[in-house]
Amino acid sequence: SMTIVGLTCIFAGQTLVITKFPVLRDFSFYILSIILLFLFALDEKILWYESLLLLLGYASYVFWMTQNRKIARAMHSRGGFLKTLTDDYIADVERRAKEAEEKEAKKAAKEEGDAEAGEPKPKEGGVGFTPTAYDANAEGADKSSAASAAPAASPAGSAKPSFIRTLSFTLRNSKSFVAFRKNTSAYKCIAKVQKAFSWPLTTAFKLSMPESMRDKCKYWFMWNFGVSVAWICILITCVLIFTTRVGCILNIPGIVMGTIVLSSGTSVPDSLSSIIVARKGEGDMAIANVLGSNIFNIFVCLGFSWMLWNIAEGPYEANALKGNLWFPIMIVLVYSCFLLIAFIVSRWRLTKKLGFSLIFLHMTFIALTLLTNSIGGKKPVLLLPNTPGWSDGR
């Protein structure tokens, strides 16, 4: 989460002011999930009621979210510190409600004007044409059209191009990439290798989710969603098996592979989505995406998995719970408190300076993880309690 928030602060393209109440709400549930995980892992096994408590923790989070505005208004009406805590959130809610009313009023007025003028209304759900980015180096391209090479916005011209589209366009038209593309032998070789590796997956995706059914079945999106989830589960299982075996071959503990390798891969989607919404000025949504995903991972992903194991096999006992698991959990808890303190010190603003500081803290966490674990069969640099040889090294 440190890296995701840090990258969001750096690539937001602006200094964002976040709202105290929703951030503190998510932090409270996140810290609660870490504390419960720490307590449950102390005896190196997970019982059924412990996994049930994790699931109930997420249920309470969902219930809070359904009553979020009512709770905020109740706290605001109490006055004092609670009023100060929710002032900016209540003001933001009222502002958004007013903007929504004005938008609906303008839409209704425009529809009435179009009806009086006799102009046909656009079809509901119609898809507008959005021009794609122009490639000035494409074969047969009109060089005089190079001025249109910038990423195109929406037909209305008011919306900014998405961060992913802008980044993709910038990379594809950079001097280094253009120079590399001119070296056709290397470019074609890499393209063929990429196509060979991706062909089995793309073929399986097309066969399991045929596009031809989209127009024939109104609810085909439900099938696509279910199959997409199934494919994600299959691919995640493959990545987990591959990572575990590589760690076994290189004699690297699973906790190191998890906190460095697997966490890096799973953080990419969260980072991109947080950066995208941050560039649109939604700082609260960017932070909520990070904290909310971590809350879901601990409460639901771990809780539900452990509950299934307890039902099928009894108490969950694995090597992952043995040793010094308490140390990285405690570090995550301390770092979460640091992140909250950093928000308070920066006066609830997301700045580049804050982003670089958070990334530095995450690098420190990785360094501590490497130093306190045995890698390649060698003795850890920093010995912790329950580590063989700890009593001799004191």
Side-chain angles (χ1 to χ4, degrees), residues 375-386:
I375 299 177
K378 296 181 180 179
K379 191 176 181 180
V381 177
L382 298 177
L383 294 177
L384 299 173
N386 299 327

Side-chain angles (χ1 to χ4, degrees), residues 316-357:
Y316 179 79
E317 298 181 67
N319 292 330
L321 297 175
K322 297 179 181 178
N324 295 315
L325 182 63
W326 62 271
F327 182 71
I329 297 177
M330 283 299 299
I331 291 294
V332 170
L333 179 60
V334 172
Y335 275 18
S336 301
C337 296
F338 279 168
L339 181 58
L340 181 58
I341 294 172
F343 284 155
I344 297 174
V345 171
S346 64
R347 298 182 180 181
W348 305 97
R349 286 176 169 82
L350 302 181
T351 62
K352 287 187 177 181
K353 186 184 295 185
L354 175 63
F356 286 115
S357 301

Side-chain angles (χ1 to χ4, degrees), residues 178-367:
V178 171
F180 171 72
R181 187 168 50 187
K182 288 180 179 179
N183 186 1
T184 55
S185 58
Y187 182 75
K188 288 183 178 179
C189 180
I190 293 177
K192 288 180 179 179
V193 172
Q194 180 186 3
K195 186 176 181 180
F197 275 99
S198 61
W199 180 83
L201 285 177
T202 54
T203 303
F205 295 157
K206 289 179 180 180
L207 291 175
S208 58
M209 297 176 285
E211 294 184 3
S212 58
M213 293 295 296
R214 185 181 301 175
D215 298 329
K216 297 179 181 179
C217 181
K218 182 179 179 181
Y219 299 101
W220 185 247
F221 69 93
M222 299 177 67
W223 169 266
N224 286 344
F225 178 78
V227 174
S228 298
V229 172
W231 273 115
I232 291 173
C233 294
I234 294 172
L235 295 175
I236 287 176
T237 303
C238 295
V239 170
L240 180 61
I241 294 173
F242 176 78
T243 306
T244 304
R245 294 190 176 184
V246 169
C248 181
I249 293 171
L250 300 178
N251 201 8
I252 299 176
I255 189 171
V256 176
M257 298 296 290
T259 55
I260 297 177
V261 180
L262 287 178
S263 63
S264 300
T266 56
S267 297
V268 172
D270 285 339
S271 299
L272 293 176
S273 57
S274 293
I275 291 172
I276 290 170
V277 297
R279 291 179 69 89
K280 294 181 179 179
E282 299 289 347
D284 292 340
M285 191 181 297
I287 302 302
N289 173 58
V290 177
L291 297 176
S293 63
N294 288 335
I295 292 170
F296 183 84
N297 289 340
I298 296 176
F299 276 146
V300 178
C301 294
L302 291 179
F304 184 69
S305 302
W306 287 338
M307 175 62 77
L308 292 180
W309 184 276
N310 273 268
I311 293 174
E313 302 289 341
Y316 179 79
E317 298 181 67
N319 292 330
L321 297 175
K322 297 179 181 178
N324 295 315
L325 182 63
W326 62 271
F327 182 71
I329 297 177
M330 283 299 299
I331 291 294
V332 170
L333 179 60
V334 172
Y335 275 18
S336 301
C337 296
F338 279 168
L339 181 58
L340 181 58
I341 294 172
F343 284 155
I344 297 174
V345 171
S346 64
R347 298 182 180 181
W348 305 97
R349 286 176 169 82
L350 302 181
T351 62
K352 287 187 177 181
K353 186 184 295 185
L354 175 63
F356 286 115
S357 301
L358 296 177
I359 290 178
F360 173 76
L361 285 175
H362 186 72
M363 295 299 105
T364 305
F365 169 70
I366 292 177

